[in-house]
Amino acid sequence: MKGKAVKPVVELLSHTPEPEKTVALAAKLCYSSSDIEGLRGKIQAKDQGDFVNKIMGLGHFSVLEHVSFTFGVEGVSRALTHQLVRHRVASYSQKSQRYVSETEGFDFILPESIKEDSACAERFHKLMSDISDFYGEMINKGIKAEDARYVLPNACETKIIITMNARELLHFFSLRCCERAQWEIRRMADLMLQKCYETAPLIFKNSGPGCLSGPCPEGEFACGKISAVRQKYSEMLDKYDRLN
């Protein structure tokens, strides 16, 4: 088998130019009799931050929908993307198993819990190899990729482009950065959050799992690690600030 275990890569491909200025302009328009050109002159960098902080504090999140971010993601599993597409307010373009053949061997995601058990890891690798070989045999017999793909596992690596607006990203991070989220999508969400914070720190400075700014929204299903979770995200963003 030519495939191998891989790790995630998240790249911010594009975003709305000057996202925080756009949010401030949209919010200012709601409370001003001035025309748009006049508002542009009023939104200066010096007061832009204070205004964005104010509207975020007020929960005026509709203006965040004017700002979007597009990510390129690879090194993630089909198990992850099955969860991801449940987030409806987003656009997705994913590598097709119908049109893209895996005859060269597919990469896959190996969970740490399996990797740490040598016997399970060995059987896992063998199973991936067996599936890959059988897939290739079917393709060689003339079976279409759209049918041969039925044997491919949830572990199969995929690539996907994701576009979300800032409001939906805040919601996405509140759910998928949570300790109760599945580990792989949580890892991807953390990488996406870091990219967002780098680009628009005023919008995303308090972003992350729902417990960062209040009680755990999971109620009786809480992970019980609220202090450690808050410290993790505080340190993650502080580390970025120090590097920049």
Side-chain angles (χ1 to χ4, degrees), residues 12-13 16 22 24 40 47 63 76-77 80 83 85 101 113 121 124 129 136 165 171-172 175 186 191 198 200 206:
L12 179 58
L13 300 178
T16 302
T22 299
R40 279 180 176 170
D47 62 4
V63 294
V76 296
S77 71
L80 181 152
Q83 300 174 74
V85 296
S101 174
S113 61
F124 188 95
S129 181
N165 67 50
H171 173 66
F172 174 76
L175 297 177
R186 183 173 68 246
L191 293 172
E198 177 181 347
N206 295 318

Side-chain angles (χ1 to χ4, degrees), residues 65-85:
E65 296 172 16
H66 297 292
V67 173
S68 65
F69 295 77
T70 298
F71 303 88
V73 179
E74 54 187 87
V76 296
S77 71
R78 284 267 169 171
L80 181 152
T81 57
H82 293 331
Q83 300 174 74
L84 175 63
V85 296

Side-chain angles (χ1 to χ4, degrees), residues 15-188:
H15 60 81
T16 302
E18 300 184 280
E20 291 170 345
K21 183 176 181 180
T22 299
V23 167
L25 182 61
K28 204 84 169 178
L29 179 67
C30 296
Y31 303 105
S32 175
S33 59
S34 179
D35 59 23
I36 293 176
E37 194 58 39
L39 288 174
R40 279 180 176 170
K42 294 179 181 179
I43 301 295
Q44 303 297 325
K46 62 181 180 180
D47 62 4
Q48 177 179 307
D50 289 341
F51 194 65
V52 171
N53 284 332
K54 180 179 180 180
I55 60 176
M56 293 295 292
L58 292 172
H60 188 176
F61 294 147
S62 64
V63 294
L64 301 180
E65 296 172 16
H66 297 292
V67 173
S68 65
F69 295 77
T70 298
F71 303 88
V73 179
E74 54 187 87
V76 296
S77 71
R78 284 267 169 171
L80 181 152
T81 57
H82 293 331
Q83 300 174 74
L84 175 63
V85 296
R86 294 174 185 168
H87 294 271
R88 306 287 196 263
V89 188
S91 298
Y92 306 105
S93 296
Q94 186 172 11
K95 174 184 174 182
S96 171
Q97 289 182 334
R98 184 181 182 194
Y99 297 110
V100 180
S101 174
E102 300 284 4
T103 52
E104 294 300 314
F106 58 87
D107 291 336
F108 55 87
I109 281 62
L110 177 62
E112 285 296 323
S113 61
I114 297 176
K115 185 178 179 180
E116 291 169 359
D117 186 314
S118 58
C120 285
E122 183 178 352
R123 290 187 64 182
F124 188 95
H125 278 272
K126 184 179 185 304
L127 180 58
M128 296 300 106
S129 181
D130 289 345
I131 291 173
S132 181
D133 290 344
F134 181 45
Y135 177 93
E137 289 175 20
M138 288 193 288
I139 296 295
N140 289 335
K141 287 182 177 181
I143 294 175
K144 294 180 179 180
E146 67 179 21
D147 293 333
R149 65 178 170 160
Y150 277 70
V151 303
L152 295 175
N154 274 340
C156 190
E157 187 266 354
T158 190
K159 299 171 179 61
I160 190 166
I161 290 178
I162 308 162
T163 299
M164 292 186 187
N165 67 50
R167 185 179 193 175
E168 176 60 16
L169 279 166
L170 292 179
H171 173 66
F172 174 76
F173 295 143
S174 72
L175 297 177
R176 300 303 184 174
C177 291
C178 174
E179 282 292 308
R180 284 185 49 78
Q182 191 256 354
W183 65 269
E184 189 186 10
I185 198 169
R186 183 173 68 246
R187 181 173 65 179
M188 184 191 74

